[in-house]
Every structure is written in C-alpha cells, then in structure tokens.
C-alpha cells in the first residue's frame, strides 16, 4: 500500500523520481521530516511536489508506513501491533485511500 500511494503521488505530480522524490515529499508534507536537511539538488523538486500534495494523502502515507514498520519488525518492537489490529487498520487505510483518489 505504501508503494501504491507513492505511485499515485508520482502520477499526480512527477513520474520520473518515484522512490526518492515522492517518498521525501510525502514525509515533508506529513511533517515526519523537514526540508532543512535536504540536498540542494532535490530540495526544489521535493518542495514543488510537497506543496501540491493533499495533506490527507501525506497523513495516510505516514500511517501506512508506521504499520509497514510494525510488520517488518515482526512485532519485536514495543509499539508493534497484533495481526488483528494490523488487518483492521490496513482495511481502514485502504478505504481512506480509495476515498481520497475518487475526489
């Protein structure tokens, strides 16, 4: 789902830099990181994309990435989720994503 959100962002903004630019733009828009540490070669492009992003898609991307991390750590971290909560939340996020892209 995280990859799908990035692909959606690229289709809406810039198809050429999916992994690097879309991910960073989503993180900036969701305030997970700031622009100040970005290299000059990507700062302008990332800012243009982040400025065009719907805050709801950025928020959803952040939430999905947190769930993905929980899955990747296989519940060995303190904030990991059990299977049922992961399943429930991912269904909820999928519905939210569909709602956002249908607008």
């Amino acid at each position: 789902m995280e990859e799908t959100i990035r692909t959606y962002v690229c289709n809406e903004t810039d198809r050429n830099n999916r992994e690097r630019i879309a991910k960073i733009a989503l993180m900036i828009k969701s305030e997970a990181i700031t622009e100040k540490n970005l290299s000059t070669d990507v700062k302008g492009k990332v800012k243009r994309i982040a400025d065009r992003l719907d805050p709801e898609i950025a928020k959803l991307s952040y939430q999905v990435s947190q769930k993905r991390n929980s899955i990747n750590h296989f519940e060995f971290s303190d904030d990991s989720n059990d299977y049922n909560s992961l399943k429930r939340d991912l269904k909820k996020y999928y519905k939210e994503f569909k709602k956002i892209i249908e607008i």
Side-chain angles (χ1 to χ4, degrees):
M1 185 166 196
E2 189 174 25
E3 302 297 324
T4 301
I5 293 171
R6 287 185 200 159
T7 300
Y8 169 77
V9 167
C10 289
N11 286 336
E12 296 296 306
T13 57
D14 179 358
R15 295 177 186 214
N16 296 320
N17 294 290
R18 185 176 149 318
E19 282 302 313
R20 188 169 181 211
I21 303 300
K23 178 180 178 180
I24 296 169
L26 283 162
M27 292 174 74
I28 286 174
K29 189 70 171 193
S30 70
E31 300 177 353
I33 62 170
T34 63
E35 291 177 38
K36 69 179 182 176
N37 295 328
L38 296 179
S39 62
T40 312
D41 64 320
V42 299
K43 191 178 278 191
K45 184 175 257 192
V46 166
K47 180 154 177 41
R48 282 190 303 275
I49 291 172
D51 287 346
R52 292 173 54 194
L53 286 176
D54 179 340
E56 291 300 312
I57 199 78
K59 177 183 169 187
L60 180 62
S61 175
Y62 179 77
Q63 291 169 326
V64 168
S65 73
Q66 296 304 302
K67 291 297 174 183
R68 183 177 189 258
N69 286 341
S70 182
I71 293 167
N72 287 347
H73 294 198
F74 199 61
E75 299 191 29
F76 284 111
S77 64
D78 292 336
D79 63 346
S80 63
N81 302 120
D82 63 28
Y83 168 77
N84 290 324
S85 74
L86 286 170
K87 182 179 175 182
R88 180 192 64 242
D89 289 345
L90 290 175
K91 282 183 178 183
K92 178 180 118 184
Y93 297 154
Y94 178 69
K95 287 178 184 177
E96 288 176 24
F97 179 67
K98 282 178 45 177
K99 184 178 176 185
I100 291 169
I101 64 173
E102 288 174 355
I103 294 174

